[in-house]
Amino acid sequence: MNFNLFGNSQPDEDYSDIAEEILEELLRQVRQSYNVALTVIGTSAILAFVGVGLVYANKVQEGAVTTAAGGVTTVAATRFANQKKKELQQMMELVEKRRAKEELRKMIPRPQAMPPVKPR
């Protein structure tokens, strides 16, 4: 970042590096949340199967509670994972739009400033 002490402002000062870092961090967080949700889904599905196994082992009360807990957790985690998946897709679209905008900006040449005209 350039600091200007003499009041000459720079047109179109670009903060795209900062915005890109922010987008990358948000993208990383959304990915991790999605991975956690998938892990919870797998764990809760195993819990539900254990509950079914307990029911077959004539431990009906424990099996019913375990199956219900696993099922509820699976449904909640699936909703959470779907929400994070949508957020991830939105973030990826935003990153792609930003990259396309940067590429377009690189392709279009900036006009050079005209030197001041001296009076005769």
Side-chain angles (χ1 to χ4, degrees), residues 51-113:
V52 170
L54 286 172
V55 169
Y56 282 124
N58 290 329
K59 296 185 178 182
V60 178
Q61 188 174 7
E62 295 89 348
V65 170
T66 306
T67 304
V72 169
T73 307
T74 302
V75 170
T78 303
R79 287 184 181 171
F80 182 73
N82 285 337
Q83 177 186 357
K84 291 302 171 185
K85 183 179 177 182
K86 288 178 185 176
E87 287 180 22
L88 183 59
Q89 289 172 341
Q90 290 172 351
M91 291 296 297
M92 290 300 293
E93 288 172 6
L94 191 60
V95 168
E96 290 301 320
K97 286 179 184 178
R98 178 166 294 281
R99 286 187 182 150
K101 186 177 178 182
E102 289 297 322
E103 288 297 320
L104 185 61
R105 191 176 290 163
K106 288 178 186 176
M107 291 171 53
I108 298 174
R110 285 189 175 176
Q112 298 293 326

Side-chain angles (χ1 to χ4, degrees), residues 17-31:
D17 291 340
I18 296 171
E20 188 73 23
E21 288 179 22
I22 291 170
L23 281 175
E24 287 177 9
E25 176 63 20
L26 290 172
L27 186 60
R28 184 188 68 79
Q29 290 177 3
V30 170
R31 280 184 187 147

Side-chain angles (χ1 to χ4, degrees), residues 6 11 19 28 32 34 45 47 54 57 64 81 99 103 108 114 120:
F6 300 107
R28 184 188 68 79
Q32 285 184 347
Y34 183 69
L47 185 66
L54 286 172
R99 286 187 182 150
E103 288 297 320
I108 298 174
M114 297 293 291
R120 294 183 186 190

